Amino acid sequence: MEDFKLTGVLPATFTPMKANGDVDYDKIDEYCEFLSREGIRQIYVNGSTGEGPSLTAEERMRLTECWVKYGKKNGRLSKIIIQVGGTCLKDSITMAKHAETIGADAISTLPPLYFPVATPQDLVEHVRAVAAAAPTIPMYYYHIPFRSGVNINMEQFLLAGRDVIPTLRGIKFSDKDLVQMCACLRTKDARGRNFNIVFGSDEQMLGAMALGADGAIGSTYNWMSGTFRRLLTRLDQGDLQAARLEQTRSQDVVKQVFAFGEKTNGTVSTLKVVMSLVGLDLGPVRGPMRELETKDKEAFFKALTDLGFMEWRKE
Amino acid sequence: MEDFKLTGVLPATFTPMKANGDVDYDKIDEYCEFLSREGIRQIYVNGSTGEGPSLTAEERMRLTECWVKYGKKNGRLSKIIIQVGGTCLKDSITMAKHAETIGADAISTLPPLYFPVATPQDLVEHVRAVAAAAPTIPMYYYHIPFRSGVNINMEQFLLAGRDVIPTLRGIKFSDKDLVQMCACLRTKDARGRNFNIVFGSDEQMLGAMALGADGAIGSTYNWMSGTFRRLLTRLDQGDLQAARLEQTRSQDVVKQVFAFGEKTNGTVSTLKVVMSLVGLDLGPVRGPMRELETKDKEAFFKALTDLGFMEWRKE
Amino acid sequence: MEDFKLTGVLPATFTPMKANGDVDYDKIDEYCEFLSREGIRQIYVNGSTGEGPSLTAEERMRLTECWVKYGKKNGRLSKIIIQVGGTCLKDSITMAKHAETIGADAISTLPPLYFPVATPQDLVEHVRAVAAAAPTIPMYYYHIPFRSGVNINMEQFLLAGRDVIPTLRGIKFSDKDLVQMCACLRTKDARGRNFNIVFGSDEQMLGAMALGADGAIGSTYNWMSGTFRRLLTRLDQGDLQAARLEQTRSQDVVKQVFAFGEKTNGTVSTLKVVMSLVGLDLGPVRGPMRELETKDKEAFFKALTDLGFMEWRKE
Amino acid sequence: MEDFKLTGVLPATFTPMKANGDVDYDKIDEYCEFLSREGIRQIYVNGSTGEGPSLTAEERMRLTECWVKYGKKNGRLSKIIIQVGGTCLKDSITMAKHAETIGADAISTLPPLYFPVATPQDLVEHVRAVAAAAPTIPMYYYHIPFRSGVNINMEQFLLAGRDVIPTLRGIKFSDKDLVQMCACLRTKDARGRNFNIVFGSDEQMLGAMALGADGAIGSTYNWMSGTFRRLLTRLDQGDLQAARLEQTRSQDVVKQVFAFGEKTNGTVSTLKVVMSLVGLDLGPVRGPMRELETKDKEAFFKALTDLGFMEWRKE
């Protein structure tokens, strides 16, 4: 745990489903192979992209087992982070303990989803209770206020939590407030290391990385990681113009994802469609999200093709 | 199901807990006895007051079994409604089926709690899927936008849902928009009956009942049902002045509940304290809520006593 | 000022406009005559209905002069309240002083509209500054959080303000939080009188009056005051069923006002159309609101006629 | 107007006040001299920093005259943009016409502040009406949703407005949604030029500039423009580490501005205090904002000094 640090781009994985809506656990081996080919070695499991909150606790734990089993096979994945949050702290504790036991590399948790917390201290107490169930692996808080409804100041959370949660290592920061993100980046944990802040809004990642974010977790890194790795290289080289080109390309794609996502009550469905387009069919989504109708699927394919996505994603 | 209708006041029940945080299932027999003495025959189980979302699916189902078993003993309870909503539709379906199987009288569901729905149609589809798992008992949608984050127009929901969800019977309406409530009251279901609208904000119940609400579900009806029954009688008799007195009393109490609730990250804790004050100790709450500290508990007791609550609650 | 109290129904007046968008000051004489015939003796000027914030300070002052001049002619109006709020405190002070000087009966103010206030104390200071410019007439705070963006707890405002603002007499309460309204109704001013709380949401007025509101200010009282007076009479007589009928009628009309208001970026346009339908043409609205197109106007007329509005409004 | 483009850093100017709260027009000559010394040649007048909405229309016009008169003296300022928005379109039109007449270089407008607009089309119509009053100078829409309450998608606004508002040149973009900002940057106006997007959140300016923003307007550029110019130079040179240092410095200062701003109901008061600290006393603010108390002023001075602000601001 000493040197655990997330950098670069990490996909938030999808959950493979069968046509009948059951989780397709066996598919994960193939998914790991796909990610390997894409150059991915770190993943975030059972988050929003993975429809974590739409799965039962049992399904989430079995998924975790499969990700660890297949991901660690031949060392394909080096860091597997398991999201264990939901409405029920007791379930989160069970899942956290399980993740540690079966060999996950880190855990992450949403805030409590129904009864909110109003202060940094109450959030710390919640995250502490989850983290204590997996005391040997790092904990990342999952900050996504537009979805969770909990918008505690993250710098204050880190300051209040660092001495109380020994395993607190950082934040999956899915919010547009980059000032707050910068403040977190400069906050030190109990051992004097900077907290590890991983940004979660793919389509403005360049802004966050310019400001110093350590890395990025998101859904489009499943099928557009090359684009973003080029972006990071260009940024490192000081070639902003070239970095912006990559960001622009990704924004064009994400704009289509959102536009078609309005037809499916959420974007996971359209995001999964892109997976099948790039070679890995992961099946349908769960309610309350819906599938794209065939004609919309075709229009969506066409829109991405017109953007040149199929070409430049492989550059 | 033909004539199923909720009227009068229904407590949303608390979930008895042991000191270690486990559910205290055995306590429910005594709780049913208590409710009988208070003149209560209808209850709403596993809602917000019952910390439903803080319980595991298994706990919720075992609680349902206990409520049915003890509630139906000697016919103490005539209507037991089980709330089955959460973040995971699959869990809701399992709980709905279970509730019907073991003899609950009706079910109720929150909207999906993490991935929201944006249109009446998407909400209908969600509620339909849950209702279809318990096709012989009525379904009540649980409308509580300030907590669930889903604020679909309820009249439009009923109109879109009545032909699609055969068992849709009404709404637990926990919102302050009384105009929308009135519109729902005047909406007819597929069989031409008015939908059954039960109001969920105890402290402005008089306003809702004057406008025609059918009944009321809430937490304070656990220990203040007499007050509200007097309110309803006075309103029926056209004695508004006397009805307002009862509403005022309840508002004074609820104000204290909220004031002290700020110290416990939510009001369930303070509401449960009142239960112990009136004779039934139901134990602690679950995180993210906290217990009142002893000195605050004493101050809270004093505040209620100063209001004369212990006397007029028995009138 | 000793016994100043608003009761019953008060229209928030429209501002008559010429076809070119200029204020049609001369029309106010006829408007006063119309209101007299409708049995109205109290009005609220330059509020939202009157497009106060869309008028220049000079126009607002000249309008005030006309309302006082024509309203007091033959004693047609007994209470004229002038709303003087906006973004600029200096303008508000000028208008408050002017209102008092030329003989208005009371003033009212919105919170500051651009730079918000965050505490009851800061709101008190703002209202104090306005009230001090008209120290001999009552001040009513205009609480309309969904529009002003300022949602200070009104009970706390009254408690903080009563000793600091000698003329503070009450609130135009345009919000759906009836619990807060009840708390205000029970709050006493510095002289030991209850504050005067006038409710501002016409379509759920029955709920507010059942809970004890003193009166009601709104736009539909311009052309539906008879309906609401009958509602109040029925409520006093304890005939809730009959009172609800009147509320239902008004809700049906308001529903159409809102439905067609979506075509005009706000409801003042449709509300004014009803004025012309009942005999007084008050001209167009100002931007950002727009006029109903002819075909929509006809559809709106038809919708109201189908509801029987033209008949029962005269009952 | 052909080549009008805002780049680099532009201060949103403060409005000098006398101790009695009157505008101190004569101070503007000295203020222009100060800005010259700071290397500033472009300014934004009567915006939020300038307390535009707290000034009367007359005061705003007289201020505009002084800024043009003193700013153009010796060519000290090359671009003077006048913000003319408020609640009253008629006032905005008067001020727009006046600004053009007396020689301002561009105008800018907020959305209507009381009656909101709900669609890009309605916003276009409002901005068009204002722009048409000053047809020979560029118009910049002032997008500041957290304050104005109007959050129309800016790309859609530009697309809907470019053929309708001939002078529409760009946006003062005061929001954290950098994806939307990028979309605006790539949108072309009727003549095929990219729109001119100027970012308005000083403390995350590096993120916006990395993503390609054209320039930045803000309050801290009054006294920290050197810091930000260095930031821009470092960014151009590809030295992100050095650019971040400047951003961090500014964030540290802004954090203090906000912390002390909580004591004065808004930050203009603390921002003005810094002006006096760097050599130009601009007097008090207007209600609803308040002055820092002496002891807080001292603590604020100390906090800035401890940060080394007085030194590095002159680097």
Side-chain angles (χ1 to χ4, degrees):
Chain A
M1 192 157 71
E2 202 57 40
D3 302 319
F4 197 92
K5 187 170 182 185
L6 303 173
T7 57
V9 294
L10 294 81
T13 55
F14 298 99
T15 294
M17 304 270 183
K18 297 179 187 171
N20 69 356
D22 285 351
V23 175
D24 190 354
Y25 299 101
D26 295 337
K27 198 84 177 186
I28 291 175
D29 193 9
E30 191 183 341
Y31 197 167
C32 288
E33 199 54 39
F34 172 89
L35 293 171
S36 277
R37 282 197 309 272
E38 296 276 320
I40 296 296
R41 304 215 50 223
Q42 310 165 92
I43 59 167
Y44 187 86
V45 172
N46 290 340
S48 306
T49 305
E51 298 174 80
S54 301
L55 305 168
T56 69
E58 216 178 288
E59 289 173 328
R60 290 167 72 165
M61 288 189 280
R62 197 161 153 211
L63 269 165
T64 301
E65 290 164 21
C66 291
W67 278 110
V68 172
K69 173 180 156 196
Y70 294 120
K72 295 301 183 187
K73 195 169 79 178
N74 311 322
R76 288 186 291 198
L77 296 177
S78 64
K79 294 201 181 75
I80 300 174
I81 300 112
I82 309 294
Q83 202 283 114
V84 301
T87 63
C88 171
L89 175 57
K90 189 172 175 180
D91 275 339
S92 295
I93 287 173
T94 302
M95 288 188 275
K97 194 171 305 195
H98 171 266
E100 183 189 56
T101 303
I102 59 124
D105 298 289
I107 54 169
S108 178
T109 189
L110 286 158
L113 288 183
Y114 187 70
F115 296 113
V117 287
T119 66
Q121 286 69 31
D122 277 318
L123 182 56
V124 164
E125 171 49 26
H126 178 82
V127 176
R128 187 205 58 73
V130 179
T136 69
I137 54 176
M139 158 63 87
Y140 287 79
Y141 175 63
Y142 186 2
H143 181 55
I144 185 165
F146 82 97
R147 180 121 293 164
S148 71
V150 172
N151 200 359
I152 302 286
N153 181 287
M154 283 294 98
E155 183 188 15
Q156 290 174 19
F157 164 72
L158 292 177
L159 291 172
R162 63 183 174 191
D163 294 326
V164 181
I165 312 170
T167 56
L168 185 61
R169 187 67 195 93
I171 298 172
K172 169 163 164 29
F173 195 98
S174 296
D175 187 47
K176 294 177 172 173
D177 186 340
L178 298 178
V179 182
Q180 209 175 119
M181 185 198 71
C182 289
C184 293
L185 278 165
R186 294 195 277 137
T187 302
K188 298 205 183 305
D189 70 10
R191 281 187 280 169
R193 299 173 301 181
N194 283 351
F195 277 109
N196 184 197
I197 310 300
V198 196
F199 189 63
S201 181
D202 313 7
E203 63 275 36
Q204 64 184 57
M205 184 243 233
L206 173 55
M209 299 308 287
L211 284 162
D214 293 317
I217 295 174
S219 44
T220 70
Y221 308 135
N222 278 286
W223 35 255
M224 217 166 32
S225 59
T227 313
F228 285 101
R229 271 190 299 258
R230 283 195 302 279
L231 184 160
L232 294 179
T233 305
R234 299 298 173 251
L235 184 65
D236 274 354
Q237 297 167 340
D239 186 350
L240 270 176
Q241 212 59 41
R244 275 176 210 147
L245 170 67
E246 304 297 343
Q247 183 73 84
T248 298
R249 283 170 161 180
S250 71
Q251 288 171 346
D252 286 338
V253 167
V254 170
K255 192 174 180 178
Q256 295 302 324
V257 166
F258 274 96
F260 284 87
E262 284 184 13
K263 299 170 187 282
T264 55
N265 194 46
T267 57
V268 178
S269 190
T270 39
L271 290 162
K272 264 186 161 175
V273 165
V274 187
M275 283 302 290
S276 67
L277 186 59
V278 302
L280 186 68
D281 186 350
L282 295 175
V285 292
R286 285 204 173 162
M289 288 183 280
R290 284 181 278 103
E291 298 307 301
L292 264 189
E293 292 178 23
T294 306
K295 72 168 175 29
D296 290 325
K297 213 178 275 193
E298 283 162 10
F300 179 50
F301 279 4
K302 184 171 182 321
L304 297 191
T305 310
D306 288 354
L307 289 170
F309 167 72
M310 295 305 290
E311 278 71 49
W312 53 252
R313 95 159 199 99
K314 286 175 293 187
E315 272 173 22
Chain B
M1 193 156 71
E2 203 56 40
D3 303 319
F4 197 92
K5 187 171 182 184
L6 302 172
T7 57
V9 295
L10 293 81
T13 56
F14 298 99
T15 293
M17 304 271 183
K18 297 179 185 169
N20 69 356
D22 286 350
V23 176
D24 190 354
Y25 300 100
D26 295 337
K27 198 83 178 188
I28 290 175
D29 192 11
E30 190 182 344
Y31 197 166
C32 288
E33 199 54 40
F34 172 89
L35 292 172
S36 278
R37 282 197 310 271
E38 295 278 318
I40 296 296
R41 304 216 49 224
Q42 311 165 92
I43 59 168
Y44 187 86
V45 171
N46 291 341
S48 306
T49 306
E51 297 173 81
S54 301
L55 305 169
T56 70
E58 216 177 289
E59 289 174 329
R60 288 167 73 165
M61 288 188 280
R62 195 160 156 212
L63 268 165
T64 302
E65 289 164 23
C66 292
W67 278 110
V68 172
K69 172 180 156 196
Y70 293 120
K72 295 301 184 186
K73 195 169 80 177
N74 311 321
R76 288 186 292 197
L77 295 178
S78 64
K79 293 201 180 76
I80 300 175
I81 299 113
I82 309 294
Q83 201 283 115
V84 301
T87 64
C88 172
L89 175 57
K90 190 171 173 179
D91 276 339
S92 294
I93 287 173
T94 303
M95 289 188 274
K97 195 171 305 197
H98 172 266
E100 182 190 56
T101 303
I102 59 124
D105 298 288
I107 54 170
S108 177
T109 188
L110 286 158
L113 288 182
Y114 187 69
F115 296 112
V117 286
T119 65
Q121 285 71 29
D122 277 320
L123 182 56
V124 164
E125 172 49 26
H126 179 81
V127 176
R128 187 204 59 72
V130 179
T136 67
I137 54 176
M139 158 63 86
Y140 287 78
Y141 175 62
Y142 186 3
H143 181 56
I144 185 166
F146 82 96
R147 180 120 294 166
S148 71
V150 171
N151 199 359
I152 303 285
N153 180 286
M154 283 294 98
E155 183 189 14
Q156 291 174 20
F157 164 71
L158 291 178
L159 290 173
R162 64 182 173 189
D163 294 325
V164 181
I165 312 170
T167 55
L168 184 61
R169 188 64 195 94
I171 298 172
K172 168 163 164 29
F173 196 98
S174 295
D175 187 46
K176 293 177 172 173
D177 186 340
L178 298 179
V179 182
Q180 208 176 120
M181 186 197 71
C182 289
C184 293
L185 277 166
R186 294 194 277 138
T187 302
K188 298 207 184 303
D189 70 10
R191 283 187 278 169
R193 299 174 301 180
N194 283 351
F195 277 110
N196 183 197
I197 310 302
V198 197
F199 189 65
S201 181
D202 313 8
E203 63 275 36
Q204 63 185 57
M205 185 244 233
L206 173 55
M209 299 308 286
L211 284 162
D214 292 318
I217 295 175
S219 45
T220 70
Y221 308 136
N222 278 285
W223 34 255
M224 217 166 32
S225 59
T227 312
F228 285 101
R229 272 191 298 258
R230 282 195 303 278
L231 183 159
L232 294 179
T233 305
R234 297 299 173 253
L235 184 64
D236 275 353
Q237 296 166 341
D239 186 350
L240 272 175
Q241 212 58 41
R244 275 177 210 148
L245 170 67
E246 304 296 344
Q247 183 72 85
T248 298
R249 283 170 161 180
S250 71
Q251 288 172 345
D252 285 339
V253 167
V254 169
K255 192 174 182 177
Q256 295 303 323
V257 165
F258 274 96
F260 284 88
E262 285 184 12
K263 299 169 185 284
T264 55
N265 193 46
T267 56
V268 178
S269 189
T270 39
L271 289 163
K272 264 185 161 176
V273 164
V274 186
M275 283 303 290
S276 68
L277 186 58
V278 302
L280 186 68
D281 186 348
L282 295 175
V285 291
R286 284 205 172 161
M289 287 183 281
R290 285 181 278 103
E291 298 308 300
L292 265 188
E293 291 176 24
T294 306
K295 72 168 175 28
D296 290 325
K297 213 178 275 193
E298 284 163 9
F300 179 50
F301 280 3
K302 184 172 183 320
L304 296 191
T305 310
D306 288 355
L307 289 170
F309 167 70
M310 294 305 289
E311 277 72 48
W312 53 252
R313 96 159 199 101
K314 286 176 291 185
E315 271 173 23
Chain C
M1 195 156 71
E2 201 58 40
D3 303 319
F4 197 92
K5 186 171 183 184
L6 302 173
T7 57
V9 295
L10 293 80
T13 55
F14 299 98
T15 293
M17 304 271 182
K18 296 179 186 170
N20 69 356
D22 285 351
V23 176
D24 190 355
Y25 300 100
D26 295 337
K27 197 82 178 187
I28 290 174
D29 194 9
E30 191 182 342
Y31 197 167
C32 288
E33 198 55 37
F34 172 90
L35 292 172
S36 278
R37 282 198 310 271
E38 295 277 320
I40 297 295
R41 305 215 50 222
Q42 311 166 92
I43 59 169
Y44 188 85
V45 172
N46 290 341
S48 306
T49 305
E51 298 173 80
S54 300
L55 305 168
T56 70
E58 216 177 289
E59 289 173 330
R60 288 168 73 164
M61 287 189 280
R62 195 159 155 214
L63 267 165
T64 301
E65 289 164 23
C66 291
W67 277 110
V68 171
K69 173 180 156 196
Y70 294 120
K72 295 301 184 187
K73 194 169 81 178
N74 310 322
R76 288 187 291 197
L77 295 176
S78 64
K79 294 202 180 73
I80 300 174
I81 300 112
I82 309 295
Q83 200 284 115
V84 301
T87 63
C88 171
L89 175 58
K90 190 170 173 181
D91 276 339
S92 294
I93 287 172
T94 303
M95 289 187 274
K97 196 171 304 197
H98 171 265
E100 181 189 57
T101 305
I102 59 124
D105 299 287
I107 55 170
S108 178
T109 188
L110 284 158
L113 288 184
Y114 188 70
F115 296 113
V117 286
T119 65
Q121 285 70 30
D122 277 318
L123 182 56
V124 163
E125 171 50 26
H126 179 81
V127 176
R128 188 205 58 74
V130 179
T136 67
I137 54 177
M139 158 63 86
Y140 287 78
Y141 174 62
Y142 186 2
H143 181 55
I144 184 166
F146 83 97
R147 180 122 292 165
S148 70
V150 172
N151 198 359
I152 302 285
N153 180 288
M154 283 294 98
E155 183 188 16
Q156 291 174 19
F157 164 72
L158 291 178
L159 291 172
R162 65 182 172 190
D163 293 325
V164 182
I165 312 169
T167 55
L168 184 61
R169 187 66 195 94
I171 299 172
K172 167 163 164 32
F173 195 98
S174 296
D175 187 47
K176 293 177 172 174
D177 186 341
L178 298 179
V179 181
Q180 209 175 121
M181 186 198 73
C182 288
C184 293
L185 278 166
R186 294 195 277 138
T187 303
K188 297 207 184 303
D189 70 9
R191 281 187 279 167
R193 300 174 301 181
N194 283 351
F195 277 110
N196 183 196
I197 309 302
V198 197
F199 189 64
S201 182
D202 312 8
E203 63 275 36
Q204 63 184 55
M205 184 243 232
L206 172 55
M209 300 307 286
L211 283 163
D214 292 318
I217 296 174
S219 45
T220 70
Y221 308 135
N222 278 284
W223 35 255
M224 218 165 33
S225 59
T227 312
F228 285 99
R229 272 190 298 257
R230 282 195 303 278
L231 183 160
L232 294 179
T233 305
R234 297 301 173 249
L235 184 64
D236 275 352
Q237 296 167 340
D239 186 351
L240 271 175
Q241 210 60 40
R244 276 176 209 148
L245 170 68
E246 305 296 344
Q247 183 72 84
T248 298
R249 282 170 162 180
S250 71
Q251 288 172 345
D252 286 337
V253 167
V254 169
K255 191 174 182 178
Q256 295 302 324
V257 165
F258 274 96
F260 284 87
E262 284 184 13
K263 299 169 186 281
T264 55
N265 194 46
T267 56
V268 178
S269 190
T270 38
L271 290 162
K272 264 185 159 175
V273 164
V274 187
M275 284 303 291
S276 68
L277 187 59
V278 302
L280 186 68
D281 186 350
L282 295 174
V285 292
R286 285 203 172 164
M289 287 182 280
R290 285 181 277 104
E291 296 308 300
L292 264 188
E293 291 176 25
T294 306
K295 73 168 174 31
D296 289 326
K297 212 177 275 191
E298 283 162 11
F300 179 50
F301 279 3
K302 184 169 182 322
L304 297 191
T305 310
D306 288 354
L307 289 171
F309 167 70
M310 296 304 291
E311 278 71 48
W312 53 252
R313 93 157 203 101
K314 287 176 292 187
E315 272 173 22
Chain D
M1 194 157 70
E2 202 58 38
D3 303 318
F4 197 93
K5 187 170 181 184
L6 302 173
T7 57
V9 295
L10 294 81
T13 55
F14 299 98
T15 293
M17 304 270 183
K18 298 179 186 169
N20 69 356
D22 286 351
V23 176
D24 190 354
Y25 301 100
D26 295 337
K27 198 83 178 188
I28 290 174
D29 193 11
E30 191 182 343
Y31 197 167
C32 288
E33 199 55 37
F34 172 89
L35 292 172
S36 278
R37 282 198 309 272
E38 296 277 318
I40 296 295
R41 305 216 49 223
Q42 312 164 92
I43 59 168
Y44 187 86
V45 172
N46 291 341
S48 306
T49 306
E51 297 174 80
S54 301
L55 305 168
T56 70
E58 216 177 289
E59 289 173 329
R60 289 168 72 165
M61 287 188 280
R62 196 159 155 212
L63 268 165
T64 302
E65 290 164 22
C66 291
W67 278 110
V68 172
K69 173 179 157 196
Y70 293 120
K72 297 300 184 187
K73 194 169 81 176
N74 311 322
R76 288 186 290 197
L77 296 177
S78 64
K79 294 201 179 76
I80 301 174
I81 300 111
I82 309 294
Q83 201 284 114
V84 301
T87 63
C88 173
L89 175 57
K90 190 172 174 178
D91 275 339
S92 293
I93 287 172
T94 303
M95 289 188 274
K97 195 172 303 197
H98 172 266
E100 181 190 57
T101 304
I102 60 123
D105 298 287
I107 54 170
S108 178
T109 188
L110 285 159
L113 288 183
Y114 188 69
F115 296 113
V117 286
T119 66
Q121 286 69 29
D122 277 319
L123 182 57
V124 164
E125 171 50 26
H126 179 81
V127 176
R128 188 205 58 74
V130 179
T136 69
I137 54 176
M139 157 64 86
Y140 287 78
Y141 175 61
Y142 186 2
H143 181 56
I144 185 167
F146 83 96
R147 181 120 295 165
S148 70
V150 172
N151 199 359
I152 302 286
N153 180 287
M154 283 293 98
E155 183 189 15
Q156 291 174 19
F157 164 72
L158 290 178
L159 290 173
R162 63 183 173 189
D163 294 325
V164 182
I165 312 170
T167 55
L168 184 61
R169 187 66 195 94
I171 298 171
K172 169 163 162 32
F173 196 97
S174 296
D175 187 47
K176 293 177 172 175
D177 186 341
L178 298 179
V179 182
Q180 208 175 121
M181 185 198 72
C182 288
C184 293
L185 277 166
R186 295 194 277 138
T187 303
K188 298 206 183 303
D189 71 9
R191 281 186 280 169
R193 300 173 301 180
N194 283 350
F195 278 109
N196 185 196
I197 310 301
V198 197
F199 190 63
S201 181
D202 312 9
E203 63 275 37
Q204 64 184 56
M205 185 244 232
L206 173 54
M209 300 307 286
L211 283 163
D214 292 318
I217 296 175
S219 45
T220 70
Y221 308 134
N222 278 286
W223 34 256
M224 217 165 31
S225 59
T227 312
F228 285 100
R229 273 190 298 258
R230 282 194 303 277
L231 184 160
L232 294 179
T233 305
R234 297 301 174 249
L235 183 65
D236 275 353
Q237 297 167 339
D239 185 352
L240 271 175
Q241 212 58 43
R244 276 176 209 148
L245 170 67
E246 304 297 344
Q247 183 73 85
T248 298
R249 282 171 162 179
S250 71
Q251 288 171 345
D252 285 338
V253 167
V254 170
K255 191 173 180 179
Q256 295 302 325
V257 165
F258 274 96
F260 284 88
E262 284 184 13
K263 299 170 185 283
T264 55
N265 194 46
T267 56
V268 178
S269 190
T270 39
L271 289 162
K272 265 184 159 174
V273 165
V274 186
M275 283 303 290
S276 68
L277 186 58
V278 301
L280 186 68
D281 185 350
L282 295 175
V285 293
R286 284 205 173 163
M289 287 182 280
R290 285 180 277 102
E291 298 308 300
L292 265 188
E293 291 176 25
T294 306
K295 74 169 173 32
D296 290 325
K297 212 178 275 192
E298 284 163 9
F300 179 51
F301 279 5
K302 184 168 183 322
L304 296 190
T305 309
D306 289 354
L307 289 170
F309 167 71
M310 295 304 289
E311 278 71 48
W312 52 253
R313 93 159 201 99
K314 286 176 292 186
E315 273 174 23

